[in-house]
């Protein structure tokens, strides 16, 4: 690992897949830090947008945060450069 990442908590990955094709529709990652703050990222393939995938992944992130007794959830703003 690069020295800058030492001490970074492991990420838990959550994967959403299409039930018919098993194609990956989206992923979310959650890292819980010692001060009970979690950072998450969420990405949904453009082919699966507006079909509820993000909602399911976000609820899974919230469930992980509740189980870890997280007090705050943080993320960064992202954009789709192809949009």
């Amino acid at each position: 690992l690069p020295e800058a990442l030492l001490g970074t908590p492991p990420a838990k990955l959550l994967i959403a897949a299409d039930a018919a094709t098993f194609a990956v529709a989206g992923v979310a990652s959650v890292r819980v830090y010692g001060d009970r703050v979690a950072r998450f990222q969420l990405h949904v393939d453009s082919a699966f947008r507006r079909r509820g995938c993000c909602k399911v992944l976000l609820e899974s992130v919230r469930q992980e945060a509740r189980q870890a007794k997280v007090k705050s959830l943080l993320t960064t703003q992202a954009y789709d450069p192809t949009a």
Side-chain angles (χ1 to χ4, degrees):
L1 279 176
E3 191 173 321
L5 294 177
L6 292 176
T8 301
K12 184 160 197 176
L13 295 177
L14 309 164
I15 301 170
D18 182 273
T21 65
F22 302 107
V24 174
V27 294
S29 66
V30 183
R31 289 182 194 271
V32 178
Y33 292 84
D35 55 359
R36 293 196 295 177
V37 171
R39 294 194 72 123
F40 74 96
Q41 293 183 339
L42 198 146
H43 304 278
V44 175
D45 185 284
S46 59
F48 292 95
R49 292 187 183 154
R50 310 210 48 88
R51 295 172 49 187
C53 183
C54 185
K55 183 178 179 178
V56 170
L57 283 169
L58 185 55
E59 183 53 38
S60 297
V61 166
R62 293 178 67 210
Q63 183 177 356
E64 290 295 325
R66 281 191 296 271
Q67 288 176 353
K69 301 197 183 339
V70 165
K71 290 186 175 185
S72 296
L73 273 172
L74 304 173
T75 192
T76 58
Q77 183 178 6
Y79 68 96
D80 183 353
T82 62

